[in-house]
């Protein structure tokens, strides 16, 4: 009773701050619970919710900016953050070789999620930041995750020059875009410094950057890619510095509710083909509905071909049981007959389940068939 009386007598703004703090604590508690669950659980029932859609489905009581087809993505403007939307996600995939020809893969993600729609500074900021780094070779995987809240300087973004950071991990650009720029990550056992420049055009996915993800529901995001990147730098692995060089692919996506109710997750593939083109294919899976399939084929000369379900064939060949009991389709046949593309994928490592707060299988793949290709596969919601 005393607690209720005290709360009733406080001004509205203090009550709002109080409940906002409770919401933030609940969010972190849910995140930690999901993290522990995903680390040790077996398969999630296909008819039930899962670790991914519990975070990425928009809550009905929050009011964020909607994703609408009339708004086109514009660069360099949309390299900046969009706090009026609920989610924002950067992906960086790199394929590298050292001086001796040994191959390495780098996966870096930077994710922002808002617990509510307010734009308040300091400890009242509703922004949560999550970043993951994964480096893999033929013999070992290095990985780490960072979580931070916005508003207190621990994580965020600035423009002019471009910079996004969480703790001592950062991406810095020389101007108001990430390119040319440097990705810098340091942990207790490994780190990297990679300088990245563009070697081809940016690609707007979907309809000028508006990407639908469901036939009937208003589920969509804004999305663009930089699939033609060149890089050089240093990997520091277990105390040994290795000079490396290679190629990279960056994708940025933002919106409010990246999944709709009943959506279970997605299967996403990015390829650099041996003819110089870049291919991205996505399949969003639904409960009791056919999946929604889309993609983008881009050339270095600036031609972009948007692909729909009628253009794409995706067939998982078999399911593989992971160490944690999850069964996942790790080998696929992907075809785009209209452009004479037929690829059979192969993983480089089986043990690429990432038990982060947003858990998924993600790792480097190769493909052969009509083309030879290298790329990455991300499978969520299993």
């Amino acid at each position: 009773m005393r607690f209720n009386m005290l709360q009733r007598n406080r001004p509205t703004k203090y009550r709002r701050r109080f409940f906002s703090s409770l919401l933030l604590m609940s969010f972190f508690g849910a995140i930690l619970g999901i993290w522990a669950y995903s680390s040790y659980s077996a398969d999630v029932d296909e008819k039930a919710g899962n670790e991914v859609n519990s975070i990425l489905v928009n809550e009905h009581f929050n009011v964020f900016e909607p994703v609408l087809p009339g708004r086109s993505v514009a660069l360099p403007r949309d390299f900046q953050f969009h706090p009026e939307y609920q989610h924002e996600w950067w992906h960086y995939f790199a394929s590298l070789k050292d001086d001796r020809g040994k191959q390495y893969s780098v996966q870096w993600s930077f994710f922002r999620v808002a617990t509510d729609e307010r734009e308040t500074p300091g400890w009242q900021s509703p922004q949560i930041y999550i970043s993951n780094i994964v480096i893999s070779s033929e013999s070992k995987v290095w990985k780490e995750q960072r979580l931070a809240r916005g508003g207190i300087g621990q994580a965020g973004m600035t423009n002019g020059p471009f910079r996004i950071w969480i703790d001592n991990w950062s991406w810095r650009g020389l101007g108001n875009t990430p390119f040319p720029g440097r990705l810098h990550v340091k942990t207790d056992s490994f780190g990297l410094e990679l300088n990245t420049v563009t070697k081809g055009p940016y690609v707007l996915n979907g309809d000028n950057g508006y990407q639908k993800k469901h036939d009937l529901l208003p589920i969509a995001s804004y999305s663009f890619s930089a699939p033609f990147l060149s890089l050089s730098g240093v990997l520091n692995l277990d105390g040994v510095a290795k000079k490396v060089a290679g190629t990279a692919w960056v994708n940025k996506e933002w919106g409010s509710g990246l999944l709709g109710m009943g959506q279970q997750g997605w299967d996403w593939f990015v390829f650099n083909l041996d003819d110089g083109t870049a291919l991205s294919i996505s399949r969003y899976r639904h409960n009791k509905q056919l999946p929604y399939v889309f993609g983008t084929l881009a050339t270095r000369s600036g031609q972009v071909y948007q692909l729909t379900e009628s253009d794409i064939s995706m067939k998982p060949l078999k399911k593989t049981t992971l160490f944690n009991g999850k069964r996942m389709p790790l080998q696929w046949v992907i075809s785009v007959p209209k452009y004479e593309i037929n690829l059979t994928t192969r993983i480089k490592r089986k043990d690429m389940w990432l038990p982060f707060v947003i858990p998924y299988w993600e790792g480097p793949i190769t493909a052969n068939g009509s083309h030879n290709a290298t790329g990455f596969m991300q499978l969520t919601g299993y």
Side-chain angles (χ1 to χ4, degrees):
M1 179 64 71
R2 183 170 179 266
F3 172 81
N4 290 336
M5 289 291 290
L6 286 172
Q7 291 303 312
R8 186 180 302 118
N9 292 332
R10 288 183 179 180
T12 301
K13 67 176 181 179
Y14 291 107
R15 292 203 301 270
R16 182 170 184 134
R17 289 178 183 176
F18 174 79
F19 288 114
S20 174
S21 297
L22 285 180
L23 182 60
L24 283 169
M25 288 188 290
S26 299
F27 181 81
F28 273 119
I31 285 284
L32 292 173
I34 289 167
W35 190 7
Y37 174 81
S38 65
S39 298
Y40 302 106
S41 71
D43 286 349
V44 175
D45 190 329
E46 292 182 359
K47 296 181 180 181
N50 57 57
E51 310 95 291
V52 172
N53 66 19
S54 65
I55 295 175
L56 300 184
V57 173
N58 190 9
E59 300 288 355
H60 69 278
F61 52 79
N62 287 323
V63 181
F64 293 97
E65 191 72 20
V67 176
L68 301 174
R71 182 197 188 280
S72 298
V73 170
L75 300 178
R77 179 195 68 191
D78 283 321
F79 281 111
Q80 66 187 356
F81 267 5
H82 303 83
E84 66 274 22
Y85 296 89
Q86 186 179 21
H87 303 107
E88 201 148 10
W89 203 337
W90 291 81
H91 281 294
Y92 179 98
F93 301 125
S95 300
L96 306 169
K97 287 184 180 181
D98 66 12
D99 294 339
R100 297 183 178 183
K102 187 174 182 179
Q103 296 182 343
Y104 298 89
S105 298
V106 172
Q107 301 148 224
W108 173 73
S109 297
F110 190 90
F111 187 68
R112 177 192 62 79
V113 59
T115 57
D116 64 53
E117 70 277 13
R118 294 172 304 122
E119 295 185 29
T120 52
W123 289 97
Q124 300 304 317
S125 172
Q127 306 296 340
I128 305 296
Y129 296 91
I130 306 166
S131 187
N132 311 321
I133 184 70
V134 181
I135 303 175
S136 58
S137 69
E138 292 181 357
S139 58
K140 189 171 180 179
V141 179
W142 299 261
K143 58 180 178 285
E144 190 165 312
Q145 176 178 248
R146 298 283 175 88
L147 286 82
R149 63 179 302 159
I152 58 174
Q154 188 180 358
M157 176 180 178
T158 58
N159 294 310
F162 175 93
R163 178 180 176 237
I164 54 178
W165 78 93
I166 183 168
D167 295 332
N168 61 341
W169 300 4
S170 68
W171 180 302
R172 294 176 179 267
L174 296 180
N176 58 355
T177 79
F179 311 108
R182 172 176 293 182
L183 176 62
H184 173 82
V185 173
K186 186 176 182 180
T187 74
D188 291 341
S189 59
F190 68 94
L192 57 80
E193 288 192 12
L194 299 178
N195 301 310
T196 308
V197 297
T198 55
K199 293 295 184 178
Y202 301 123
V203 176
L204 304 187
N205 301 312
D207 182 8
N208 291 318
Y210 170 81
Q211 181 63 70
K212 285 186 61 177
K213 297 185 176 181
H214 200 287
D215 274 324
L216 302 175
L217 296 175
I219 303 300
S221 67
Y222 299 115
S223 174
F224 66 89
S225 303
F228 306 110
L229 301 174
S230 179
L231 60 89
S232 62
V234 177
L235 300 181
N236 292 284
L237 305 174
D238 301 324
V240 179
K242 302 175 182 291
K243 291 184 178 181
V244 292
T247 60
W249 179 308
V250 166
N251 192 82
K252 184 185 178 183
E253 181 175 10
W254 69 99
S256 298
L258 297 183
L259 289 177
M261 297 303 297
Q263 289 186 303
Q264 294 300 300
W266 62 84
D267 310 307
W268 180 35
F269 303 80
V270 296
F271 300 99
N272 287 110
L273 307 183
D274 57 5
D275 63 0
T277 57
L279 176 66
S280 173
I281 299 290
S282 295
R283 183 181 79 151
Y284 275 67
R285 305 186 311 278
H286 307 282
N287 182 21
K288 298 181 180 179
Q289 296 181 37
L290 292 175
Y292 190 76
V293 180
F294 56 91
T296 304
L297 179 65
T299 71
R300 291 181 182 272
S301 63
Q303 294 176 302
V304 178
Y305 306 98
Q306 302 301 333
L307 308 175
T308 65
E309 184 176 5
S310 62
D311 300 315
I312 302 167
S313 172
M314 300 179 65
K315 296 179 180 179
L317 293 182
K318 62 178 181 178
K319 284 193 174 183
T320 302
T321 302
L322 305 184
F323 72 95
N324 59 1
K326 287 183 178 290
R327 289 180 54 78
M328 306 188 73
L330 298 185
Q331 188 174 11
W332 296 70
V333 174
I334 297 176
S335 301
V336 188
K338 183 177 180 180
Y339 297 101
E340 300 181 342
I341 296 173
N342 184 49
L343 303 174
T344 299
T345 71
R346 287 178 175 82
I347 59 174
K348 289 190 175 184
R349 298 186 63 98
K350 174 183 174 181
D351 58 342
M352 296 301 290
W353 175 258
L354 306 178
F356 297 140
V357 296
I358 302 176
Y360 44 77
W361 193 101
E362 181 184 87
I365 58 175
T366 61
N368 56 27
S370 62
H371 301 71
N372 292 321
T374 58
F376 288 81
M377 175 173 69
Q378 184 184 95
L379 309 176
T380 77
Y382 287 94

